[in-house]
Amino acid sequence: MLASLGITSTILWCKLMGHTSGFFVPIAGLESWANARAFWLMGILICALVCCLLPKATRKMDVAQRYVIPCIAVAGAMSFALAFHQYYFDQRLLAVAGIVVSGFGYFWFISRFALLLAVTQGIPCLAWSFAAAFPLRHLLLIAMDAAIPVNWQVMVAIALPLASFAAFEAACAVARKRAQSHADEQGCPSDEARTLFGVPTLPKAPFESKLDERYLTVSVLAIALMLSVVRACSISGMWGGDHTAGLSFADALVSVASMVVAIGLLVYLAVIRVHRYPVTMRFQVGILLVLAGLVVAAVKPWLAPFIHPSILDLIVSTNDPLALVLFWSAVCMAVVSFSAPANRVIGVAGAVYAAASIAWVDIINKVNALDSAMILVAVYLLFAVFMLATWFARHKRLSFEGERVTDKAPLSVAGDHFDSREGDGQEGLVDDEEADASAVLVQALMVRCDELAEECGLSPREKDVLVLLAQGKTGTAIQDELTLAASTVKTHMQHIYAKTGVGDRQQLMDAVLGKRDS
């Protein structure tokens, strides 16, 4: 809830700066150079490149950034708002500097919330938090238009980075407190777990095969490009348009309620329901729904005589939130699966989105995206890329699905497969098909461990230990793998044995493999 409030503050800040009349003066002042959104996107691009090129330094400076960047973001929003109301500095240069700094702060905030939720709570929590933020933002916009003068809306926009900062710190504090309480109940020290912002993280989710890793990479890049198209075709595509239409209170409630139902249903179908699906099938529904929304936006004038305008508006308005939720879900799935630093993964995806969006701003300045064939071309190109990747992944998987897996296949973490075939006389990496077959075996084992952990009420850390025990790891190897003390590992093993009702490791393996007597 706290993270969702922080996300609401962040996206409301962006919406006010681009679409409330209090900022129309600086937006108009920059028109001779470019639409103000292009400079905002430049700030996002700079932040993404910093994360991509300096991931470790960015991680080390997280504590300092959490206090410095909100203040810089406030200064940027203030500089943009007041640039054309002062004469000490060049007005346009001050406005550009302010909007670029604000865009930098926006991406930093939104990526920190996404990272916090995905790594410590899980992708479903991330998806619901983002989904809840959009109807709340819409409600706040309507309330502000009805009750707050334009000048005060500018002041609210300037102060919103501080609200995001407060929500982020509160969310981290609550999560740390809950983690400490859970550790006390389990009788193990909480400082031995891996943490992010002081909050214990969930275990990594390894891929079944390298093919899945390649597929997810293509999916993240395709979804980033798709998000840029969606944003270009919405009111966010160009800054300077008003954000509300003066709805009455009753109409506002109906609008918000409709948005809640529509976004909730779409996010459930596109992210939550498919969360446990194989990687090659996980984003198909979401991408097809977003592409369908883009087609509706492109042919909306022709559909108006047949479909009520409010329904068409709802489809178009919910496509933007769905695309954003899908984007961050895919990015954060890559974060929890790839071995690359989290900041680098986020940086690459953000840079692709920002660069493509800047190109779209230039295109829209010359032709209307919705009135041109470009939107449909982009839709079909994205569809073709995604379906081609899906076909390739499924075809490759079918090629080794029938392979016979012998007891010589090692149970190790995916990516560390070594050849142990008799008669070779040497060790080396096995070919891709054997590695994939072994990885499938490992994944099946992990799935069974997840099921057993849920059935027996194991804690996340106990589940980590269970997975390694099932893979045949010794107590010393588990200590090294999870960076835990010997006494802590022993305590976790005792808890696992007690909760699963077994007396030794052999009985535990029988329970994992489903051979335990009922």
Side-chain angles (χ1 to χ4, degrees), residues 22-234:
F23 286 95
F24 283 179
V25 171
I27 291 174
L30 294 178
E31 281 296 332
S32 59
W33 286 0
N35 186 268
R37 184 169 181 258
F39 299 109
W40 174 273
L41 291 166
M42 287 180 187
I44 294 178
L45 180 60
I46 292 171
C47 185
L49 290 176
V50 169
C51 292
C52 178
L53 300 176
L54 303 171
K56 293 183 179 179
T58 305
R59 174 68 187 272
K60 290 179 181 178
M61 296 174 61
D62 263 334
V63 175
Q65 292 171 10
R66 283 157 60 182
Y67 296 94
V68 174
I69 289 183
C71 297
I72 294 177
V74 169
M78 186 180 299
S79 298
F80 181 66
L82 303 178
F84 288 87
H85 298 283
Q86 56 81 42
Y87 303 96
Y88 295 102
F89 305 98
D90 183 279
Q91 294 176 327
R92 285 189 294 185
L93 287 179
L94 183 61
V96 167
I99 197 66
V100 169
V101 168
S102 298
F104 186 101
Y106 167 82
F107 187 76
W108 184 89
F109 271 118
I110 210 75
S111 64
R112 295 311 96 176
F113 277 113
L115 186 61
L116 173 69
L117 291 169
V119 174
T120 68
Q121 309 301 316
I123 303 297
C125 182
L126 176 148
W128 286 128
S129 297
F130 271 85
F134 282 92
L136 183 56
R137 181 199 67 177
H138 190 63
L139 184 62
L140 290 174
L141 284 172
I142 294 171
M144 289 175 64
D145 273 352
I148 301 178
V150 171
N151 290 339
W152 281 100
Q153 292 185 23
V154 173
M155 297 299 294
V156 169
I158 292 172
L160 278 173
L162 298 179
S164 298
F165 164 76
F168 184 84
E169 291 300 317
C172 290
V174 170
R176 286 193 293 266
K177 184 176 179 180
R178 290 183 59 188
Q180 183 62 51
S181 175
H182 179 74
D184 293 341
E185 292 177 0
Q186 296 293 325
C188 58
S190 60
D191 56 356
E192 294 182 348
R194 292 189 179 94
T195 62
L196 177 70
F197 309 120
V199 183
T201 61
L202 299 173
K204 282 274 189 177
F207 289 107
E208 294 182 12
S209 67
K210 291 183 178 179
L211 181 64
D212 286 343
E213 184 174 353
R214 293 194 293 268
Y215 176 81
L216 181 57
T217 301
V218 173
S219 296
V220 169
L221 298 179
I223 292 172
L225 292 173
M226 183 177 68
L227 177 62
S228 71
V229 176
V230 172
R231 301 303 294 271
C233 297
S234 68

